Amino acid sequence: MKRLVSLIALLILLSCQQKQSTGKGEIKDIVPKHEYAMLIVESESCIYCKQLRKDLQSEILAREIRGMDVFSVLYESNARVRYILKGQEHVSTEEELARSLKVNSFPQLFFYDREGNIVLHLPGYQPPKTLACSIRFVKEGRYKDTQYMDYLKAERCI
């Protein structure tokens, strides 16, 4: 009987320790490791979001996003997320982050640098050819000296 009580107490203790140790792991980290990152804000019912996910698996986009962090958050999610915005690190829910970015349609793409400065915001779905150009626009730093639409026209992306 003593062994049974000891075993139950040990199991309870171990389960409590596991909950404490995984508590920190429950925060999704979307702070960029590379020079630039792309954040996709999605909604559960968004068909264009599902199409975008498929597109990102294509050869052309997979090649373009190499060397760039790609993150996604779900508008309806209460999952905690760590991010950097305008040089400040924050922790909030995915929904609170989306609302602070003033997201009101889906998908929304935000390209940002390591310091959390948004360098390009794209509301809505883009076909793979246009999205590939948008990614290059950011990765090559063209946003610093060229208007986005001028770049797309010059590169024949639209």
Side-chain angles (χ1 to χ4, degrees):
M1 184 67 168
K2 276 186 175 181
R3 285 186 180 177
L4 181 60
V5 170
S6 296
L7 181 60
I8 292 172
L10 180 61
L11 289 173
I12 292 171
L13 178 64
L14 287 175
S15 70
C16 289
Q17 286 179 342
Q18 285 178 334
K19 286 180 184 175
Q20 289 173 351
S21 66
T22 59
K24 289 183 182 178
E26 292 176 14
I27 298 177
K28 182 176 177 179
D29 190 356
I30 62 171
V31 174
K33 309 284 185 276
H34 293 92
E35 188 174 354
Y36 296 105
M38 177 173 63
L39 174 65
I40 305 164
V41 181
E42 305 173 302
S43 175
E44 291 175 346
S45 61
C46 171
I47 59 172
Y48 291 105
C49 300
K50 290 172 180 54
Q51 183 60 50
L52 177 59
R53 283 191 172 276
K54 283 183 188 176
D55 293 348
L56 288 172
Q57 302 304 313
S58 72
E59 187 177 322
I60 185 174
L61 288 177
R63 184 176 57 244
E64 291 297 337
I65 60 176
R66 264 189 223 120
M68 176 181 274
D69 296 298
V70 179
F71 304 111
S72 65
V73 295
L74 189 60
Y75 186 81
E76 300 88 354
S77 175
N78 285 320
R80 294 178 56 73
V81 63
R82 179 188 347 274
Y83 59 95
I84 190 165
L85 194 56
K86 296 179 183 174
Q88 301 264 332
E89 191 171 305
H90 305 273
V91 175
S92 70
T93 67
E94 291 183 11
E95 180 182 19
E96 290 168 342
L97 170 58
R99 287 183 182 200
S100 73
L101 294 170
K102 301 190 183 338
V103 171
N104 57 11
S105 62
F106 307 99
Q108 298 244 346
L109 290 90
F110 295 89
F111 293 88
Y112 57 104
D113 63 17
R114 279 191 187 135
E115 290 77 39
N117 299 306
I118 296 171
V119 298
L120 180 63
H121 171 216
L122 301 173
Y125 174 81
Q126 287 194 333
K129 179 182 175 184
T130 307
L131 183 55
C133 286
S134 300
I135 293 167
R136 281 195 306 274
F137 177 76
V138 171
K139 283 176 67 174
E140 294 171 0
R142 298 297 302 275
Y143 65 90
K144 295 174 185 174
D145 59 18
T146 307
Q147 292 293 315
Y148 176 66
M149 290 306 292
D150 293 340
Y151 176 83
L152 291 183
K153 288 176 188 172
E155 296 293 316
R156 297 193 171 122
C157 300
I158 52 173

